[in-house]
């Protein structure tokens, strides 16, 4: 192909939603203890203009400044807070958040494509998430899901991701040919800072669960993206290779790397250099999680920490063809429904 | 100095203790439910010859093969299992394990120097650990302690390490001028594989707790070693710098790096290259945790994964003077009681 690669950011959240959303959520939470305060869904009114402004001033502006084209866009991860309330609370909240992401994608069809959050709730069977999942894929045209391995918010009361507990979700993922990003939400455990410990720990934990189990024997086409550069996995890849070896598992490339992918949300050059040195390029998807956990400018570089495109561009470890895979090709392979949409748009 | 640097491995556990130790522990655990089965301390008999063989055939043999001189040696981390039983159970168990490490150090005074495990127990005031700590420092001449930030074994029910809860330990550390390695034990939470997730998560969690708090304003001379190369900290150092910046904390070099050190238990060359590229050399202490989590030979190199000395020797990021710091100088600075012992030995 002679055109320049598309730059597809596979990890964006709607962190800049109009404040009415948070106000409604706060009333919903208050309503758990005092039903008189519980708001109706119809009391949340956000206009298309408000959505447009919230995106144009923020994500879309930065995408244009940094030169990325498309963001795979899901509800704000820290706001999922699956530990709050029961299934009904999570279900209503997920429906609202997913609809907003769908509206953003409809307003900016060439720049945003939706991924669904699920109405998970601690101790509740994951199959209760299926109706919302189906709605998001069938009615909204979303191309993937976010799956929270710890709906308890830092208490880790759910079974490992390789447990049959999760299989109803996996069966739907296979049926729809959609991947899941493994993404926790806010930590309500004071030991774990949400974005500085809980997120990264979850990434590492999920990868190790995949090593311990044999999930991909049951689901050979199942695909997961582990965000934040895979937690500590690339840094400790020797350890993980060695642990798999002690457990008599196949080599990681055969045991998990046909099914597990890493994003590039690693906020400094040495980290991206390590990631691209250690992990096969076919397993790396460009992402920034921009306007997320780390919004500042790095005094050591003068650039935004989360402008990860610069690090991919600067790393000596990738050829141009490999950069194309990281920026576009791998995302189209891992998200076939994204590929179909882009193809339909002539991209 | 013209002599070659000493090679000091700051992270070794007695993973090869004679099987009588584990048998006694199993009876102790059985005795929690059925006191008739509880063994007396006097029923554990391990001779000096047994200790000698368990070391000469294992750690000492590998130290000689790999060319390291001294191991800072503590009870087996996964066996601490502070979540089992109550304070009395932990107290008896810690006393036994510490005494064995002391005996090893007495048998091999030029090769092993002890570090104490503490008799921690979930929900129990850490000041109950002080008598064992004092005994290990005063009577056994140990040079540091291992501190478990999660005595619950993967449920993370203890307050963050910056909480006043832990201050009695810190006051003793300052009084004795000893560092603590932050080291969890076995995970009893099925979400967390012990050495593939829980250990690494704990390292990351502890570092983030130190960033969030202002512990080193209260204890300017307190020193912690975060093992396993600091969990995911070096890989995500940009993220941690950015998070500290959002919290209006000082630069990490001023906020935590006068007090927090990283070991080199990272089991492949790219990881050590990242560690030595990102973390100031003054903050890196050589370690292997040999005969630990990963005991195999890496098929990509033909050498043991945990032969970390090779990676330090091979990294292009260190000068010879810097390697000397990593192998010897930093350990002598962080463990002043080790330095005094070595000096007394003419080393």
């Amino acid at each position: 192909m002679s055109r320049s690669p598309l730059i597809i950011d596979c990890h964006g959240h709607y962190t800049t939603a109009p404040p009415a959303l948070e106000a409604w959520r706060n009333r919903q939470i208050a309503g758990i203890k005092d039903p008189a305060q519980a708001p109706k869904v119809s009391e949340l009114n956000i206009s298309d203009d408000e959505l447009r402004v919230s995106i144009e001033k923020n994500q879309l502006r930065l995408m244009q400044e940094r030169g990325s084209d498309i963001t795979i866009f899901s509800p704000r991860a820290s706001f999922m807070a699956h530990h709050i309330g029961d299934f009904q609370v999570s279900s209503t909240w997920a429906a609202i958040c997913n609809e907003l992401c769908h509206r953003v994608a409809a307003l900016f069809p060439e720049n945003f494509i939706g991924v669904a959050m699920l109405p998970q709730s601690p101790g509740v069977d994951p199959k209760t998430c299926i109706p919302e999942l189906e709605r998001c894929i069938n009615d909204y045209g979303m191309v993937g899901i976010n799956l929270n391995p710890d709906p308890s918010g830092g208490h880790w009361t759910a079974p490992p991701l390789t447990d049959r507990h999760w299989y109803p979700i996996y069966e739907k993922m296979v049926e729809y040919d959609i991947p899941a990003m493994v993404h926790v939400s806010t930590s309500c455990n004071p030991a774990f800072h949400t974005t500085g410990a809980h997120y990264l720990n979850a990434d590492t934990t999920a990868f190790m669960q995949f090593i311990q189990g044999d999930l991909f024997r049951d689901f050979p086409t199942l695909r997961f993206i582990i965000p934040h550069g895979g937690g500590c996995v690339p840094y400790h890849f020797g350890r993980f290779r060695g642990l798999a070896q002690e457990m008599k598992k196949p080599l990681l490339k055969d045991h998990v790397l046909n099914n597990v992918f890493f994003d590039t949300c690693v906020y400094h050059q040495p980290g991206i250099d390590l990631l691209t040195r250690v992990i096969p390029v076919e397993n790396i998807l460009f992402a920034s999680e921009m306007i997320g956990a780390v919004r500042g400018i790095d005094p050591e570089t003068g650039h935004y920490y989360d402008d990860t495109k610069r690090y991919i561009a600067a790393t000596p470890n990738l050829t141009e063809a490999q950069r194309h895979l990281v920026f576009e090709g791998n995302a189209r392979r891992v998200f076939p429904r994204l590929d179909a949409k882009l193809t339909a748009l002539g991209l």
Side-chain angles (χ1 to χ4, degrees), chain A residues 249-265:
Chain A
K249 299 292 185 185
L251 291 177
L252 292 188
K253 74 179 179 57
D254 302 313
H255 184 47
V256 296
L257 291 186
N258 293 314
N259 306 84
V260 177
F261 302 85
F262 300 89
D263 83 7
T264 66
C265 294

Side-chain angles (χ1 to χ4, degrees), chain A residues 285-303:
Chain A
L285 276 65
F286 171 67
S288 72
E289 203 174 2
M290 63 162 67
I291 319 187
V294 181
R295 303 183 182 194
I297 290 174
D298 185 345
E300 295 185 5
T301 65
H303 298 287

Side-chain angles (χ1 to χ4, degrees), chain A residues 264-275:
Chain A
T264 66
C265 294
V266 179
Y267 296 155
H268 64 156
Q269 188 69 50
I272 291 292
D273 289 348
L274 177 86
L275 172 67

Side-chain angles (χ1 to χ4, degrees), chain A residues 58-101:
Chain A
N58 293 299
Q59 284 84 355
L60 192 58
R61 174 181 60 81
L62 288 176
M63 288 163 66
Q64 286 161 350
E65 282 177 21
R66 299 180 186 179
S68 71
D69 301 296
I70 294 158
T71 296
I72 299 180
F73 203 57
S74 59
R76 186 172 189 171
S78 64
F79 273 28
M80 297 191 298
H82 293 121
H83 62 280
I84 295 176
D86 58 10
F87 172 74
Q88 197 51 54
V89 168
S90 273
S91 181
T92 307
W93 177 235
I96 285 173
C97 293
N98 284 330
E99 190 191 12
L100 284 181
C101 285

